[in-house]
Amino acid sequence: MLQLFKFKGGVKPDSNKTPSVQMPIGIAPLPPLLIVPLHQSIGGKPNPLVEAGERVLKGQLIGGADQWLSSAVHAPTSGTVLAVEERVAAHPSGLPTLSVVIEPDGRDAWIERTPLDYTALEPERVREILRDSGVVGLGGAVFPSHAKLAAAKSVPMEELIINGGECEPFMTCDDILMRERAEGIVRGSGIFRDLLKARRVLVGIEDNKPEAVAAMKAAVEKLGENFEVIAVPTRYPAGGAKQLIRVLTGKEVPASKRSPEMGVQCFNVATAYTAWRAIAHGEPVLSRIVTLTGNVEQPRNWDVLLGTPLRDFVALGKPKSDTDRYLMGGPMMGFEMPGLDAPLVKATNCIIAGSPKLFPPLAPEMPCIRCGACAEVCPHELQPFEMYWFARARNFGKTQEYNIFDCIECGCCSYVCPSHIPLVQYFRFAKSEIWSREREKNMADAAKARFELRNERDEREKAEKAERLARAAAAKAAVKKAPAESVSEVQTGDTSVAAVAAAPLDAEAVKKATIVAAMERARQQRESVQPKNTEGLTVAQRKEIAEIEARRLPLQELSALNADAQSSQRKK
Amino acid sequence: MLTAILIMALGALVLGAALGFASIKFKVEGNPLVEKIEAILPQTQCGQCGYPGCKPYAEAIADGEAEINLCPPGGMEGVRKLADLLGRDVKPLDAEEKPKQVAIIDEQTCIGCTLCIQACPVDAIVGAAKQMHTIVESLCTGCELCIKPCPVECIRMETISENIDNWKWKYPVIELKRVA
Ligand code: SF4
Ligand code: SF4
Ligand code: SF4
Ligand code: SF4
């Protein structure tokens, strides 16, 4: 038996998990409309690859990964693209983000899927496939998985951790996935192990999920793998990546390091499952398991298409009449969804219907009594009350001295604070202020650098011009000094000087005239209705134009050839 | 007695030489105060402070010639930071505070005169004579210097609105709902 370690701090909130695991995973019906945001992962924003009016198939790429740290997005079902436009995002801000709106045709027709044997492929190719299949961390962080699948150069990969901790109250999506689809998880973990060349694979599951532990053990045995399935003590946030790494291996990953540098890497169980589907079945990430629970008649886990609007999703659980909000994520780390139109995305692991009874309003914030309870429960051994003090005073430099960026926003400190201080909110506020300052500072530095470059260039150009003028003046003086051999020559010399003097005048006048003419033209253009025939073309029209251009091309080449031939003949 | 004086004199000479050497060897380039002030200024290079750029203004402040409340893009926060640094009193900003903006060229109307390129202090405009010009949004500091020179008035300023990328968590005041 593996020796387990302990992480510091942590709390034990009511788990509230039983209601939603009474029924097996349900397949959510097709909603009337899908709103698929293009940016669903950490990293670069995928570019839209479809246009309004286009027909798409299930699994078709609609947003291409923009750079290495980015992840593709696909059409969750077949249908027609109604629009590519800004729609409300599943984000605490409630601001819109570029999304592809798809009207399903009900046929659910797939693209051609090619199952692959990853052992026959280059590791680099496997990572590419994962990126282009949209495989990201489904625990909620949505970090592109392929970017985590490289071992550090100098440190061999000791342990691969498969995270089935799921410590957040209410949430059961990983639990039910492990119960029902353990084989896929184990196979996906095998892919990760082979890519990372990890020596050991440890599956960590909180011990309040005995069924999941049993199912995973059975699957590991059946597939003949040597993974260790370990039940870890239930204590929030045992499912945090750093906490689970600590519990299973005893390794502390500091904020300044990435875990591969310590010879360990961690993936969520659902991520492993989607990686397996992507490689061995050619199925990109189109749906995920989402827990629907809280103030609903029928709590349950659903396999639901990404892009399903919250409205259609919550209807499946029959929310009770006093439901006044929906949280995305768990009660500790989640946020309130900005509205019923916001879609479910890859980061959505759980939707909790809330009511005033379920989540009574917070008692008013009281002054901090420096009891130290928050520091005791902080799993990262931070001093929340100090960070709070400075965040409140907007003294962000000090918050950084107290390592605010080590804070994982787990909410333990707010949970225990006897003064009901929303500590995490202060930390989020301070962090985003610091980030924004950093951005501004970088922009100001860049602007300054460009300004200085430009001034240098101006000066250089001025110097060069002065030099040129000086040289010209010297040349002119030389002409004048030259002995006047005949009157006529002197006269021509004079006229040339006059011409030189007159030329700039003329040029000046011409320039002015052209500017005036151009201004006139521009004014007329603005007054007359601007021709819009090259804007807002439909896809069909654009295709037509492209065809015509293609037809023209050979003709143009031909005529160019003819012209060449003729001119060469003439030369002869 | 004489040896004592000699030793003291020698010591003074050696230390003097060392100090002199150090002052040459470790000479600080530029005026550190100016640099500190400049780091606070927003580098918009707009000249609204009455100086031709942020650095000249920083120098004027360092020399005690200029007030610290003349930079509109820096806003009240800039004034406060300068007051902090220099130990002067915070004064209200000598202008209106404006939200951050970017310039946008109406590309249909641009005649390609290159006048705006010459005006832009941070090289944020691309274009060539008689060709359409455009502004690289991420480089534009919003200084408005390109607006006036344009003969066909095709440049306008647009406020940068809040979007998902620049959105910030708000200071927790009203929104205090307990979730667990
Ligand atoms: S738990 Fe609350 S009251 Fe106690 S020290 Fe921390 S912030 Fe202050
Ligand atoms: S939210 Fe941050 S400060 Fe509070 S307990 Fe968690 S890690 Fe510590
Ligand atoms: S007003 Fe501010 S931003 Fe503009 S040049 Fe002066 S110091 Fe720079
Ligand atoms: S584009 Fe115009 S507003 Fe923007 S930095 Fe250049 S001159 Fe200033």
Side-chain angles (χ1 to χ4, degrees), chain A residues 193-211:
Chain A
R193 177 207 41 210
D194 293 345
L195 284 177
L196 287 170
K197 306 214 167 45
R199 283 193 29 237
R200 298 199 300 161
V201 181
L202 308 173
V203 185
I205 305 170
E206 267 194 350
D207 58 12
N208 60 359
K209 303 187 240 314
E211 297 88 347

Side-chain angles (χ1 to χ4, degrees), chain A residues 10 236-237 243 374-375 377-385 387 403-404 406-414 423-424 427 431:
Chain A
Y236 181 84
Q243 281 67 40
C374 50
V377 295
C378 175
H380 281 261
E381 296 173 58
L382 302 173
Q383 291 177 326
F385 54 91
M387 300 194 309
N403 299 323
I404 195 167
D406 276 341
C407 166
I408 54 167
E409 299 174 21
C410 66
C412 290
C413 50
S414 316
L423 293 158
V424 182
F427 303 155
K431 284 184 191 177

Side-chain angles (χ1 to χ4, degrees), chain A residues 17-48:
Chain A
K17 285 181 189 260
T18 18
S20 52
V21 286
Q22 300 310 313
M23 292 219 267
I25 299 172
I27 306 290
L30 265 183
L33 206 66
L34 287 164
I35 304 159
V36 189
L38 285 164
H39 198 204
Q40 292 194 42
S41 71
I42 306 279
K45 270 189 199 149
N47 301 310

